[in-house]
Amino acid sequence: DAKTTQPPSMDCAEGRAANLPCNHSTISGNEYVYWYRQIHSQGPQYIIHGLKNNETNEMASLIITEDRKSSTLILPHATLRDTAVYYCIVQAAGNKLTFGGGTRVLVKP
Amino acid sequence: GAVVSQHPSRVICKSGTSVKIECRSLDFQATTMFWYRQFPKQSLMLMATSNEGSKATYEQGVEKDKFLINHASLTLSTLTVTSAHPEDSSFYICSASDTGYTFGSGTRLTVV
């Protein structure tokens, strides 16, 4: 049961901001929005998560709409090493993470 | 930060043999660990939830007698693929839950 919808792929230019959208219109009040990424043949890497407020860390920013039905992950200055599949997941804390299809991001020079 | 170590990173085995994959939480205790499988160009599929000191909870369609999970301590869970066949060839990934979810680096299993 897909809880999130993401575009299957997107390209972005090196050095520019990458904005990755995610729709989660059926999100429940106790569910967080998590973002992970997976570089080829590696395990997923945690990026950021949030509940209601926008969040920022050293890797990215997470913008969650007021109705919480969608969010955007922002990579402020994309590098070639940011090429990966990015997964948006909604899940209650402590519950298992269920992955959808993700967005395959290609950062181009 | 939290680190999850997974071994081996790569294994090739003959059809009909069994393979054990280990998942260790190095700097935290994990009462719950998760096992995923990923086929080429597909997303991660949750196989089972491993609970320390109790039986694992398997997702629908995953054979519990084929994929044996043992979580005997708070830092170690193992997945044994029994009587492996070529169709079991896949990328297996574990995850441990601490304050968040930390993933291992994965195990590439090839059954020949």
Side-chain angles (χ1 to χ4, degrees):
Chain A
D1 295 344
K3 290 186 175 182
T4 64
T5 304
Q6 297 178 253
S9 64
M10 64 183 296
D11 295 345
C12 66
E14 185 181 19
R16 304 292 293 272
N19 297 316
L20 282 62
C22 180
N23 287 323
H24 32 79
S25 59
T26 61
I27 191 170
S28 300
N30 65 337
E31 289 183 318
Y32 288 75
V33 180
Y34 292 88
W35 281 86
Y36 283 79
R37 71 180 183 183
Q38 186 179 27
I39 296 171
H40 183 61
S41 294
Q42 298 182 22
Q45 175 190 23
Y46 168 81
I47 301 173
I48 200 167
H49 76 285
L51 184 63
K52 292 170 55 177
N53 299 324
N54 297 337
E55 302 288 344
T56 295
N57 62 21
E58 64 279 3
M59 289 183 69
S61 295
L62 173 61
I63 308 299
I64 303 174
T65 57
E66 194 169 338
D67 62 8
R68 302 212 319 129
K69 292 185 177 182
S70 66
S71 61
T72 301
L73 178 74
I74 301 173
L75 306 178
H77 304 285
T79 71
L80 299 180
R81 288 177 297 178
D82 291 323
T83 291
V85 180
Y86 287 75
Y87 295 99
C88 168
I89 303 167
V90 295
Q91 213 73 27
N95 285 3
K96 56 192 178 184
L97 290 181
T98 302
F99 287 76
T103 297
R104 191 172 296 273
V105 173
L106 176 61
V107 180
K108 296 183 174 180
Chain B
V3 177
V4 172
S5 175
Q6 189 173 340
H7 292 282
S9 59
R10 192 178 293 268
V11 59
I12 300 173
C13 71
K14 291 185 177 180
S15 186
T17 62
S18 296
V19 174
K20 180 184 285 187
I21 302 169
E22 292 189 347
C23 180
R24 295 181 184 272
S25 56
L26 296 187
D27 48 4
F28 66 100
Q29 294 182 329
T31 56
T32 303
M33 292 185 177
F34 305 92
W35 287 96
Y36 294 82
R37 180 168 54 181
Q38 186 176 33
F39 292 107
K41 299 191 184 300
Q42 294 186 22
S43 185
L44 283 78
M45 183 187 76
L46 180 66
M47 299 175 67
T49 302
S50 171
N51 303 298
E52 187 269 334
S54 64
K55 292 183 178 180
T57 303
Y58 290 81
E59 295 298 304
Q60 190 173 8
V62 178
E63 300 174 60
K64 62 180 181 180
D65 294 329
K66 180 168 184 62
F67 299 100
L68 301 180
I69 292 173
N70 183 278
H71 194 157
S73 79
L74 288 171
T75 59
L76 174 64
S77 175
T78 61
L79 168 68
T80 300
V81 182
T82 63
S83 187
H85 288 95
E87 56 265 31
D88 298 323
S89 298
S90 188
F91 192 53
Y92 292 86
I93 308 167
C94 70
S95 170
S97 175
D98 182 28
T99 54
Y101 302 88
T102 303
F103 288 81
S105 55
T107 298
R108 174 79 55 194
L109 170 64
T110 303
V111 184
V112 298

